[in-house]
Amino acid sequence: MISITTSENKKVYFASDQHFGAPTPEASFPREKKFVAWLDEVKKDAEAIFLQGDLFDFWFEYKTVVPKGFVRILGKIAEIKDSGIPIYFFIGNHDLWMNGYFEKELNIPVYKEPQEFLINNKKFLIGHGDGLGPGDYGYKRMKKVFTFPLFKWMFRWLHPDIGVSLGHYMSVKNRLISGDDDAKYLGDENEWLVQYCKQQLAQQHYDYFVFGHRHLPLEIKLEENSTYINIGDWIQYFTYGEFSDSFKLLKYK
């Protein structure tokens, strides 16, 4: 378990589901500029930054090629990491084909599963959130196909111009991937991430569960000293998390 203790006046920040590149690079560009502006602001007092998946609407790493674009985002992340601020990256369902680029080029750890962190003596379980808990069977089946080594090997043999174009098309059009079905609050009893958190609580205590994927800013009390938080997105809500002594779910201007 990684332990983080904030220095005086420092904070830990969380953001998820930017989906840069969607629906087109041109339409995405204003959101990218807004996110870079947010990164510029939080780096002034950030103890650490968590990026919790779907930073890109589609991402596939060939052995010697990564998708074109996103230079401002990647440059800003590199600048922040090089300044000494830790960044923790979780893959989402849109950028799950990462294969070492962030680790080698940016020196940023990449996690495929939820991870435990101890932040100011509060126990966190942090992840993207896709495929967890009961239900969501269509996506779970699709994820098994997309992460199957043979599928990835076959896709890698497509020319990048074809592969990336196909990936962008599938990412935007396929509702199982895009998450359009998750655009409304379903009630605690139907929120599969809430059910997942309750299952985890039955095994051990966590003060905070922090996830993305749902594209909805949510803060749900599970027990007296345990809270599930969904970070929201940077498409409609532009929300992010901030933690020092307590967790705040905030909206960027």
Side-chain angles (χ1 to χ4, degrees):
M1 183 188 305
I2 297 175
S3 181
I4 300 172
T5 301
T6 58
S7 307
E8 186 177 2
N9 298 322
K10 294 285 188 177
K11 301 168 184 175
V12 177
Y13 290 98
F14 306 78
S16 183
D17 292 275
Q18 292 80 12
H19 289 266
F20 293 132
T24 65
E26 294 76 18
S28 168
F29 185 62
R31 297 192 294 107
E32 292 183 43
K33 291 177 64 177
K34 192 168 185 175
F35 189 66
V36 167
W38 176 77
L39 288 171
D40 264 329
E41 288 191 20
V42 302
K43 73 179 183 182
K44 299 171 185 176
D45 63 359
E47 189 74 47
I49 298 173
F50 287 83
L51 300 177
Q52 292 182 237
D54 288 355
L55 180 65
F56 312 109
D57 197 61
F58 175 75
W59 181 271
F60 187 92
E61 293 179 20
Y62 297 82
K63 286 188 177 180
T64 57
V65 176
V66 296
K68 181 180 179 180
F70 316 117
V71 64
R72 291 168 182 80
I73 297 296
L74 294 173
K76 183 57 61 177
I77 291 173
E79 172 197 320
I80 291 172
K81 182 64 175 67
D82 289 348
S83 75
I85 299 171
I87 297 176
Y88 303 96
F89 190 93
F90 290 80
I91 64 170
N93 47 304
H94 285 251
D95 46 22
L96 54 81
W97 296 283
M98 291 198 161
N99 191 33
Y101 182 78
F102 267 46
E103 294 96 327
K104 294 175 183 177
E105 294 293 327
L106 306 176
N107 196 27
I108 292 174
V110 174
Y111 302 100
K112 297 181 179 180
E113 302 292 341
Q115 299 291 317
E116 295 180 351
F117 288 81
L118 191 67
I119 307 177
N120 289 351
N121 293 318
K122 297 293 184 180
K123 194 172 182 181
F124 283 69
L125 188 64
I126 300 171
H128 180 63
D130 60 307
L132 301 179
D136 208 13
Y137 298 117
Y139 168 69
K140 289 176 181 177
R141 287 191 294 268
M142 183 172 288
K143 185 175 182 179
K144 287 182 179 179
V145 173
F146 285 168
T147 57
F148 190 61
L150 179 60
F151 175 86
K152 292 192 292 184
W153 180 83
M154 293 173 63
F155 191 90
R156 185 170 283 117
W157 280 99
L158 293 174
H159 188 282
D161 287 350
I162 298 172
V164 172
S165 295
L166 177 62
H168 274 300
Y169 176 83
M170 289 289 293
S171 183
V172 172
K173 295 296 183 181
N174 193 307
R175 295 175 70 85
L176 287 176
I177 304 174
S178 65
D180 288 347
D181 290 336
D182 294 338
K184 60 183 179 180
Y185 176 62
L186 304 174
D188 286 7
E189 67 280 2
N190 295 315
E191 288 283 337
W192 35 263
L193 268 174
V194 172
Q195 300 308 313
Y196 170 80
C197 294
K198 289 181 176 180
Q199 291 171 357
Q200 299 306 304
L201 272 179
Q203 302 175 44
Q204 59 180 306
H205 175 75
Y206 293 97
D207 296 285
Y208 295 98
F209 296 86
V210 185
F211 292 101
H213 186 59
R214 286 290 285 110
H215 288 234
L216 287 173
L218 298 170
E219 190 168 355
I220 297 173
K221 205 77 171 175
L222 303 172
E223 293 181 352
E224 182 179 354
N225 296 314
S226 183
T227 304
Y228 157 62
I229 294 168
N230 198 281
I231 299 299
D233 69 13
W234 282 73
I235 300 172
Q236 179 178 356
Y237 295 102
F238 300 93
T239 46
Y240 64 96
E242 175 188 292
F243 181 81
S244 53
D245 297 323
S246 61
F247 200 102
K248 296 178 183 179
L249 194 56
L250 303 171
K251 182 179 177 66
Y252 188 59
K253 60 188 177 184

